[in-house]
Amino acid sequence: MAKPSDLFDRQYEWDDLERFVTSTSPGVRVGVLSGRRRVGKSYLLRRLVREFGGIYHMALEEEPGPALQRFADGLVAQRLHAGQVRFRDWNEAMRAALPPAGVGLAPLGDPAPGRAGAPLLVIDELPYLLAHPAGRELPSVLQSLVDESRSASGWPSYRVIVCGSALSIMSELRAGQRRREHVPSASPEAEIPEQLSGSRPLRGRAELDLMLRPFDFRTSAGLYGIADPTVAFALYAIVGGIPGYRDLLADASPQTMAELDDLLVSTVLNPSHALFGETAYLLREDPRITERALYYSVLAAIAGGATTPSKIAAVLGRAQRSLGHALDVLITAGFVCKDDDVLLQRRPTLTIADPIVRFHELVVNPRLVAFEERRAMQAWRAARETVRAQVFGPAFEEIAREWTLRYACEETLGGPVGEVGRTVVNDRAGRAQHELDVVALAAGGRRGGGAPVVRAIGEVKDSDRPRSGADLARLDRVRALLVARGVEAAGAKLLLFGRAGFDPELQAAADRRSEVELVDIHRLYTGR
């Protein structure tokens, strides 16, 4: 069926959910949907229930008894009055919602008229239920129902989707094991209580495992209706591709940098606005984040350029081992990315995953008094250089890699590509290190997987000055160093990304050399 007209983008996600709901497989089938706060999970699931029928239940932060009763009331709302049905526990509640054939009435009802699909139950914000001992049996109950329905014939088809914003808990729910490969941690396994995750029972039972991610830079420009790529990029670098921010920004659609300044001063930089305290709001999603001062300090250190555990420890004046658990939590919760060198199995770097968190750490928090005293425009202007170097710079690198992976055509890159990342190249003769912002491996090549073919290498610069022939000469030098090191990069395309464009000398060189590609902000947003 067609995607709902009031659902922006999300075609692939809608197709996955529709396929899950309309599957003819018998029995209880469970799907897991996760994603950070405000990414549009609830909006998407409510439209799924609207189109296919079923029950949508939003869990709240409340005591176990009222939480169970609210579920009971929602389950029987079309047949009985609130409070007329009570369940002793979640086992009884779920068995009432998903009964075997011939046992009681299926409260989920039939699919919506004209829609083919199994009765659907959505439990949104599941981590709120798992926070109490009474709710921690829920994953085990679902496991039991899945197993029973698979082993018995004649069991009706049911579809259950559980959803949550606490990424660390939802990742445990899907994977069934801790993912400790990111950052070495001195903390024992028991520091994250297993009962919080509810992970072991659903391991292998979830048929759908869907992560709802933020929109990319091009889709975000369409969401806000911004025609000028420069304005679209600036907004994306600050708030990212979170669709929920569109409503919080009052459906604004800035078309000039002056309009964007006014928008930011009245919203993100306004103490009265919800986005002013967004970092704290997001951190509260993970129950493991209790010593918030430490986590704020770690985020500030990473945003400021401390990209390894040892550098973070030096900034904070703490032993590196004491930060292992905090870093592990921030990575699994989606606040921090661990980015490995695409050509080497070492030199991992830590970066802030969420643009608005990075913006708060670098721009808002250091000038908090000025913003709270309503000197927002003055403080915003004073932060211009910080924004250009530490907000726009990293964001421009990120969208350059994303463009290379998703939008650049094979002619531009010299063939199909697989992984895209970054690397550091040592120049012993020149006694220097060269950071390559973009390294595109040939399709099928993987980082750390032998000797991959390098399709393209690129250097990204967010500067007010056009890029010059010296930039191309440096990229030629880096490619030669890679070849001398034994990397298959002799035929690699050379990509130069520049937000301020390119000078005539470089433009002329690119016209003469077919392996050189110049990519400005307009090509990033509209070209291939």
Side-chain angles (χ1 to χ4, degrees), residues 233-289:
F233 164 72
L235 180 61
Y236 181 80
I238 293 170
V239 302
I242 305 300
Y245 293 163
R246 184 76 173 93
D247 292 335
L248 291 178
L249 294 176
D251 291 331
S253 182
Q255 301 300 320
T256 66
M257 292 302 292
E259 290 180 4
L260 178 59
D261 285 347
D262 291 339
L263 174 66
L264 295 174
V265 167
S266 64
T267 56
V268 182
L269 304 176
N270 180 359
S272 299
H273 197 272
L275 288 180
F276 190 79
E278 184 68 359
T279 298
Y281 176 74
L282 295 173
L283 282 173
R284 285 196 298 269
E285 288 301 310
D286 196 306
R288 300 181 300 174
I289 298 178

Side-chain angles (χ1 to χ4, degrees), residues 273-326:
H273 197 272
L275 288 180
F276 190 79
E278 184 68 359
T279 298
Y281 176 74
L282 295 173
L283 282 173
R284 285 196 298 269
E285 288 301 310
D286 196 306
R288 300 181 300 174
I289 298 178
T290 54
E291 190 184 347
R292 289 195 174 88
L294 171 61
Y295 290 88
Y296 285 132
S297 298
V298 171
L299 288 173
I302 296 173
T307 58
T308 65
S310 60
K311 291 179 180 179
I312 298 168
V315 171
L316 270 58
R318 298 180 60 141
Q320 182 176 334
R321 284 180 59 85
S322 70
L323 299 177
H325 176 60

